[in-house]
Amino acid sequence: MNLETYLHDLSRIWPEIVLSVTALLALLCDLLQRGRDTRVTGWVTALGVLFTLGWICRDFARADGATVFGMIAHDRFAMFFKLLICAGTLIVTLLSLFFRGFQRDGVGEYYSVLTVAAVGAIFMVSTNHLLLLFLALETLSISSYALAGFLKRDARSSEAALKYLVFGVLASGAMLYGFSLLYGYAGSLDLPTIAATIRTHLQVGENGLTPAGIGCGIAVVLCLVGFGYKVAAFPFHFWSPDVYEGAPTPVTTFLAVVSKIASFGMILRFFGGIPHGSEGAAPLASAIAAVAACSMTFGNLAAMVQQNAKRLLAYSSIAHSGYLLAGVAALVAPGAADAAHGAGGQGVVAALGTISGGQAVAYYAAAYLLMNLGAFAVVIHLSNRFGSETIDGFAGLGWKAPVASGALVLFLLSLTGIPPTVGFIGKWYLLQPIWDKGLHWLAVLLVLNSVVSLFYYFRLARSLFLKDESQALASPRTGAFATELTVIAVTLAIGTLWFGVSLNWLSNLVLSLPV
Amino acid sequence: MISTIDTTHLLSWITLAPLLGMVAILFTPRDKHDVIKTIAAAFTGIPLVLSGWLYFKFDQSLAGYQFYEDFAWVEAFNIRYTVGVDGLSAPLVLLTGLLMFFAVFSSWNVEKGVKGYFMLLLLLTVGINGVFVSLDFFLFYVYWELMLLPMYFLIGIWGGPRREYAAIKFFLYTLAGSVLMLVAMIAMYLHSGATAAERTFSLVTLAQKGQGGLFDSGPALLGMDFRSWLFLFLFIGFAIKIPVFPFHTWLPDAHVEAPTAISVVLAGILLKLGGYGLMRVNMQVLPGALWSDGGPTGWATMLAVLGMINCVYGAFVAMAQTDFKKLVAYSSVAHMGFVLLGLAAMNPNGIAGANLQLVNHGTSSAMLFLLVGVIYDRAHHREIAKFGGLAAHMPMYASLAFLGIFTSLGLPGLAGFWGEALSLIGCYEVFPKITIVSTIGLIVTAAFLLMTIRKVFFGPKKEQYAAFPDLTLREWACLTPFGVFCILLGVAPFLLTDWIGPSVNALAALFGKS
């Protein structure tokens, strides 16, 4: 590789470089401040992330699908997910700046770790190489363990970090073993090559699966364990409620939103090469569909009895992983699109006017970003001002903080999937490929799950607006950044509503993604 | 089918004007109660005036859609903003205009959270009108769901003692129905064409394709054919709204807990959406599911049987009620049974009867709920047994109450008669036995309403009610228009039948009847 191509390749990963430099700058800034005022560090980080965001926007149109250093894909798909990750990180940085729990402790290095986690997330969605994938995943994971335990004086925070670490290492181990098996079968670490190998080996012949097929199947299942852990899908979800509850709320937001979106970007990239009429993918699709069905049902049912708002959102995010995995199942499932068009069987119908499972997942990820960030922003707002994170503690607060609470109701509507919000459009996009690929039961289960989820989401709304104020409520605290957090929440609410009504721009963007 | 593209955007104004009112209220200080109420009245007045104008501009000789507007919304999926009205929907738009306007007036004494209340009421108006005018299924669905949130809060915040339970029950039931509708909608869209250009959400195109037999074939699931699944999913969505037995249990709770104005809207219009949806989607898009090989299918029989159960069961349960409002709520269940009977008949008489019943029940039940509200405001209870002799203390109130109650029990000469009579006549041609059983419901309805009159208005005077003032000017102004409609549509039913006639005949023609 000569210098010219090297520099040319380098120019394609400027956003990654800028973000890494931001992490170092944040560290340097904290060093200069000697922990006196962490806000400067926070703002430096926010600016760095914003700059990265702008750079990705600028690069979006130039994505040419080339592979940089033979490892990193420079395509629209990666750009889209990078955009979501950076936008999410930006909001999380701002939320951290306005989070009351961080005011007491010196948490300057927090911003540096957060940015490093974001760097890991960005590489996760853009790499085509198994080794880099694992490195990126671990960069995100290890930073997340540290982030979860950042409230050092809080026992729950430390417990959360430890739990997260133990579960995480276990899942990583399983996944790494899967990776090594895949490398053994494919003889390459290149994801497209591996996908092709899986496709070949998973073909069911006359005598059933070949030994290599069984081995490949085991490897993919082991990878699924790792992925399932990252997205907190049932039955790999055990860490998430405790970690979500114990971690500082901005970190919870990061784990629930950015980390999850990055993981789904990775999953799409991993499985994206497998489908296209491959019969061998059917058992794999069934497995993913089963995990999806269990996740959404379990997450929703368990969320119904939660008292803590963060815990409730944790279980809800398990359910949302289920919805997204259902989209992945639709992507992987063999193209049975013709089944929906009469038994005529004129081959696979052109995919025009339909959204693929992968595109639907990408759209839903964007929707999920908006509505979940918003919900967490309001939870931070309310706990900052009124010192409560439980549903009962929110009683009557809707009348005290009407704008933020009203925004929360909108986010809850969107999470439930009721128009005119972006969450509804997301669900609608997900349902299309699911139904089209013949997974009718999954589509019905998904919509019925939205009804269940309405029950617990609106326990929050009920507490805020329908209940009378609880007597124990202290007067609102000052210095709670109420205005700043309200502005963030309202901005996200406008986005939730806007993309729920004006569908063209985001839909066309997603439909142009090569998945 | 379609006249011309409308240039006045009349229907869009009717639908979306309340949204402007919502924005106006949003920027009004929250303690300026009178300003907020006036804005709400003005922006529900606009749809009323415009839908009155629509009545005079409407060409009553046409069966097709009028005031048609059509714009692209989402190109990638062929979703369009398409609105238009025909004889089936136009009267309901006028009814909505009327009821929402008077709902604002009967809410004038709301003191808690005034700003929120009227914003939600306006949002509700947008949703209701939107459903009636939408000719694109996607748009229809968006408006359909738009009604849920305002209703939840209107019942949940301003309702009675068990309001939280009633509000979430209403929300869960209705959402459960509408998500199944969503699945059916997606299945229909994906089935409506092989390529993007052919796929559509347009109810007009879907109806044409459905009548051409497009949905007759499709993937059968669990031994039931594709069309039946579509019909079932859509039916459950609409049946919960009507509400059809056994999906009706949310209704009494919601009615009893809702404030008066919301009960009026609920009984007067929201229940009508279910019946309208059955006609617009189930019957127009999937006629083959109801009528094939020259006879009614099992689904049509099911519709008639459920109608019968609604009529008889609803009436008997209403008779057992001790709470005045709950009694009126269950009487709505009974009355909606006639809509089902009329639709199940699928002939001009039956369908016309169902439509008349929709409109007439809209005015009579609204009147009854307002009447219950009047007495509740004074007595702070609704126990029928505790009342008595009110006719002597409140003669004006009593006379209007008699009018409402007699309309409700279907006295000839008043509006309620025509819907029930035509439904039964129509249904008798197809399902004679079911019709005969259903008439028990008529008798029981008459019985419990007359008993209510006796217990509440006649009998010995009671001292505690002697001081009750008769109707105030505001109550009088709210009740009288409905009273006028009850008489007017009773003596001149042709005002409605001429209006809906061509569309009703066109619908009946789908089932080989004219």
Side-chain angles (χ1 to χ4, degrees):
Chain A
M1 187 182 277
N2 61 33
L3 187 65
E4 202 173 328
T5 43
Y6 184 82
L7 285 178
H8 187 65
D9 269 6
L10 208 59
S11 75
R12 286 169 163 158
I13 55 165
W14 267 115
E16 284 86 343
I17 295 171
V18 171
L19 203 58
S20 310
V21 170
T22 306
L24 295 176
L25 269 182
L27 209 56
L28 194 67
C29 194
D30 187 49
L31 214 60
L32 294 174
Q33 291 284 323
R34 290 176 206 284
R36 279 185 308 239
D37 186 4
T38 60
R39 311 200 57 199
V40 179
T41 318
W43 282 112
V44 167
T45 313
L47 274 178
V49 179
L50 186 67
F51 189 58
T52 316
L53 196 64
W55 205 295
I56 297 172
C57 289
R58 181 178 157 274
D59 273 5
F60 208 100
R62 302 181 192 173
D64 50 8
T67 309
V68 184
F69 302 126
M71 286 183 166
I72 304 160
H74 189 70
D75 54 14
R76 291 175 77 93
F77 174 81
M79 290 293 169
F80 184 77
F81 273 88
K82 283 187 211 171
L83 208 60
L84 297 185
I85 289 165
C86 279
T89 311
L90 179 65
I91 303 284
V92 170
T93 311
L94 294 177
L95 291 181
S96 312
L97 270 167
F98 304 134
F99 178 59
R100 202 185 168 87
F102 282 160
Q103 302 297 310
R104 290 168 300 155
D105 293 320
V107 287
E109 65 275 26
Y110 166 86
Y111 294 103
S112 180
V113 181
L114 184 73
T115 319
V116 170
V119 173
I122 280 190
F123 276 113
M124 250 165 88
V125 297
S126 57
T127 182
N128 250 334
H129 196 267
L130 217 46
L131 197 60
L132 188 58
L133 184 83
F134 185 73
L135 284 177
L137 189 68
E138 286 305 300
T139 310
L140 174 62
S141 298
I142 293 169
S143 314
S144 302
Y145 307 146
L147 287 173
F150 237 98
L151 291 178
K152 284 160 233 152
R153 292 174 208 164
D154 186 342
R156 283 190 314 163
S157 180
S158 310
E159 185 196 329
L162 189 66
K163 231 172 215 166
Y164 197 19
L165 174 72
V166 172
F167 272 105
V169 170
L170 200 67
S172 288
M175 187 173 63
L176 198 58
Y177 186 51
F179 282 1
S180 68
L181 284 178
L182 285 179
Y183 175 60
Y185 284 112
S188 163
L189 287 168
D190 194 34
L191 275 181
T193 317
I194 289 172
T197 312
I198 296 174
R199 186 164 53 208
T200 322
H201 284 315
L202 280 184
Q203 299 285 4
V204 183
E206 284 173 13
N207 306 321
L209 278 176
T210 56
I214 295 170
C216 258
I218 292 172
V220 172
V221 168
L222 286 170
C223 295
L224 262 182
V225 172
F227 298 157
Y229 158 80
K230 276 315 282 181
V231 301
F234 183 89
F236 316 108
H237 65 278
F238 289 104
W239 58 275
S240 82
D242 292 337
V243 173
Y244 279 29
E245 187 185 354
T249 317
V251 175
T252 310
T253 316
F254 183 81
L255 296 181
V257 180
V258 180
S259 172
K260 188 164 281 193
I261 287 176
S263 308
F264 270 102
M266 172 184 73
I267 290 175
L268 285 184
R269 205 172 264 292
F270 189 85
F271 289 116
I274 298 176
H276 308 305
S278 150
E279 282 300 319
L284 182 60
S286 308
I288 298 175
V291 171
C294 293
S295 289
M296 57 176 96
T297 313
F298 169 81
N300 280 328
L301 291 180
M304 290 170 91
V305 293
Q306 300 308 319
Q307 275 306 318
N308 182 295
K310 280 160 73 181
R311 230 180 148 79
L312 183 141
L313 287 172
Y315 279 106
S316 116
S317 91
I318 295 175
H320 282 273
S321 287
Y323 303 151
L324 286 158
L325 279 174
V328 176
L331 173 73
V332 176
D338 47 333
H341 300 282
Q346 291 103 7
V348 179
V349 175
L352 277 168
T354 353
I355 185 163
S356 82
Q359 289 163 345
V361 170
Y363 191 98
Y364 201 84
Y368 181 80
L369 176 90
L370 279 171
M371 57 202 188
N372 239 20
L373 279 178
F376 275 108
V378 178
V379 169
I380 292 177
H381 173 129
L382 294 178
S383 74
N384 264 4
R385 267 177 88 186
F386 304 102
S388 173
E389 279 179 0
T390 60
I391 294 179
D392 291 340
F394 286 167
L397 294 187
W399 304 99
K400 292 213 158 189
V403 180
S405 308
L408 181 61
V409 170
L410 189 76
F411 299 130
L412 296 176
L413 273 184
S414 183
L415 286 163
T416 316
I418 293 176
T421 56
V422 70
F424 164 68
I425 306 298
K427 278 221 173 98
W428 175 65
Y429 279 156
L430 277 178
L431 284 168
Q432 275 195 47
I434 294 173
W435 184 274
D436 218 13
K437 287 288 180 81
L439 297 164
H440 303 121
W441 63 275
L442 195 57
V444 174
L445 189 71
L446 199 156
V447 295
L448 290 180
N449 260 297
S450 342
V451 181
V452 177
S453 71
L454 173 83
F455 178 77
Y456 65 80
Y457 285 134
F458 270 73
R459 281 178 65 212
L460 275 173
R462 180 182 72 173
S463 198
L464 285 170
F465 285 103
L466 270 53
K467 295 272 186 198
D468 291 327
E469 221 170 278
S470 60
Q471 288 84 4
L473 192 71
S475 54
R477 301 179 193 164
T478 51
F481 303 105
T483 322
E484 290 88 338
L485 287 165
T486 307
V487 169
I488 294 176
V490 168
T491 312
L492 291 165
I494 290 173
T496 305
L497 206 55
W498 175 256
F499 291 119
V501 177
S502 173
L503 305 174
N504 280 322
W505 180 75
L506 193 55
S507 302
N508 290 338
L509 188 66
V510 167
L511 286 172
S512 74
L513 298 181
V515 274
Chain B
M1 199 83 184
I2 297 153
S3 56
T4 47
I5 299 287
D6 175 51
T7 48
T8 58
H9 303 302
L10 186 63
L11 292 178
S12 294
W13 277 106
I14 289 177
T15 316
L16 299 173
L19 213 54
L20 299 176
M22 229 183 114
V23 176
I25 291 179
L26 185 66
F27 291 106
T28 311
R30 68 169 94 171
D31 49 353
K32 297 246 189 276
H33 288 188
D34 283 338
V35 179
I36 291 171
K37 289 168 184 170
T38 313
I39 293 174
F43 281 90
T44 48
I46 293 173
L48 175 60
V49 172
L50 290 179
S51 52
W53 193 42
L54 179 126
Y55 175 78
F56 291 106
K57 298 276 279 184
F58 193 91
D59 186 342
Q60 301 200 347
S61 63
L62 295 177
Y65 296 109
Q66 305 182 30
F67 302 96
Y68 191 80
E69 295 172 44
D70 183 46
F71 307 99
W73 183 8
V74 188
E75 286 103 356
F77 295 95
N78 215 354
I79 299 172
R80 305 185 71 80
Y81 175 86
T82 313
V83 294
V85 285
D86 62 358
L88 304 179
S89 49
L92 295 169
V93 172
L94 181 58
L95 180 73
T96 311
L98 194 73
L99 256 68
M100 295 317 290
F101 183 68
F102 286 105
V104 170
F105 271 102
S106 58
S107 313
W108 215 263
N109 51 2
V110 169
E111 289 301 327
K112 174 186 176 188
V114 175
K115 193 169 167 174
Y117 182 92
F118 286 98
M119 278 173 71
L120 291 168
L121 202 61
L122 287 168
L123 187 61
L124 185 63
T125 315
V126 175
I128 297 168
N129 269 325
V131 169
F132 285 136
V133 302
S134 296
L135 292 180
D136 184 282
F137 206 176
F138 193 86
L139 188 67
F140 180 97
Y141 187 82
V142 169
Y143 280 130
W144 183 273
E145 300 259 274
L146 199 62
M147 295 181 294
L148 301 186
L149 183 79
M151 277 307 285
Y152 171 78
F153 282 120
L154 286 170
I155 297 174
I157 297 179
W158 290 274
R162 288 171 70 240
R163 55 181 189 264
E164 291 172 16
Y165 170 76
I168 195 69
K169 192 170 179 183
F170 164 82
F171 207 158
L172 286 172
Y173 265 68
T174 327
L175 186 70
S178 53
V179 293
L180 291 179
M181 192 157 83
L182 175 67
V183 174
M185 179 175 102
I186 288 170
M188 265 157 79
Y189 167 72
L190 292 173
H191 199 75
S192 64
T195 60
E198 293 171 33
R199 288 179 183 176
T200 181
F201 283 101
S202 160
L203 283 170
V204 185
T205 318
L206 284 175
Q208 280 165 1
K209 290 187 174 185
Q211 288 155 21
L214 178 74
F215 300 110
D216 294 358
S217 65
L221 303 166
L222 303 174
M224 194 158 90
D225 64 281
F226 182 61
R227 191 179 59 191
S228 294
W229 277 109
L230 289 182
F231 188 90
L232 181 69
F233 280 5
L234 293 167
F235 175 73
I236 292 177
F238 297 130
I240 288 174
K241 206 78 168 185
I242 286 180
V244 176
F245 177 90
F247 305 114
H248 66 284
T249 56
W250 62 269
L251 180 88
D253 287 310
H255 264 313
V256 170
E257 302 308 325
T260 300
I262 303 311
S263 287
V264 168
V265 175
L266 189 59
I269 320 172
L270 291 196
L271 307 189
K272 310 303 172 289
L273 292 158
Y276 171 74
L278 276 182
M279 287 190 284
R280 179 64 78 224
V281 188
N282 282 48
M283 294 178 74
Q284 287 194 340
V285 181
L286 305 166
L290 284 163
W291 187 269
S292 64
D293 305 327
T297 62
W299 290 114
T301 315
M302 184 201 73
L303 221 59
V305 169
L306 289 174
M308 176 186 79
I309 296 176
N310 259 39
C311 286
V312 179
Y313 173 81
F316 272 112
V317 177
M319 187 138 95
Q321 299 307 316
T322 55
D323 182 313
F324 201 171
K325 206 172 181 183
K326 217 163 180 171
L327 179 139
V328 180
Y330 273 109
S331 82
S332 291
V333 175
H335 282 128
M336 285 296 110
F338 292 104
V339 175
L340 284 178
L341 286 176
L343 293 181
M346 298 173 290
N347 49 23
N349 275 340
I351 297 172
N355 276 289
L356 288 181
Q357 181 75 348
L358 289 180
V359 177
N360 294 337
H361 180 258
T363 51
S364 69
S365 69
M367 199 169 165
L368 285 184
F369 277 113
L370 284 173
L371 288 163
V372 174
V374 166
I375 196 67
Y376 182 71
D377 283 346
R378 288 166 176 67
H380 302 291
H381 74 84
R382 294 184 298 252
E383 287 298 312
I384 295 172
K386 287 193 197 167
F387 290 116
L390 282 181
H393 301 305
M394 305 165 73
M396 191 90 92
Y397 173 68
S399 50
L400 275 172
F402 293 163
L403 180 62
I405 288 173
F406 283 125
T407 309
S408 185
L409 65 75
L411 196 73
L414 293 173
F417 170 72
W418 296 105
E420 294 177 7
L422 280 175
S423 300
L424 290 173
I425 292 170
C427 196
Y428 188 80
E429 291 174 22
V430 190
F431 304 103
K433 287 175 195 157
I434 292 173
T435 314
I436 291 168
V437 177
S438 304
T439 49
I440 296 174
L442 270 184
I443 299 165
V444 178
T445 305
F448 73 74
L449 285 172
L450 291 172
M451 275 156 60
T452 311
I453 288 187
R454 179 172 63 79
K455 287 180 192 161
V456 174
F457 294 100
F458 297 134
K461 290 183 193 176
K462 293 195 178 174
E463 278 312 304
Q464 67 262 42
Y465 303 125
F468 281 5
D470 209 339
L471 294 177
T472 64
L473 191 63
R474 184 174 61 79
E475 289 163 346
W476 173 249
C478 283
L479 281 165
T480 316
F482 294 109
V484 170
F485 271 96
C486 286
I487 298 174
L488 186 67
L489 295 176
V491 294
F494 56 84
L495 287 176
L496 260 178
T497 47
D498 285 357
W499 198 2
I500 63 177
S503 301
V504 166
N505 290 333
L507 184 55
L510 294 181
F511 306 99
K513 297 172 184 177
S514 53

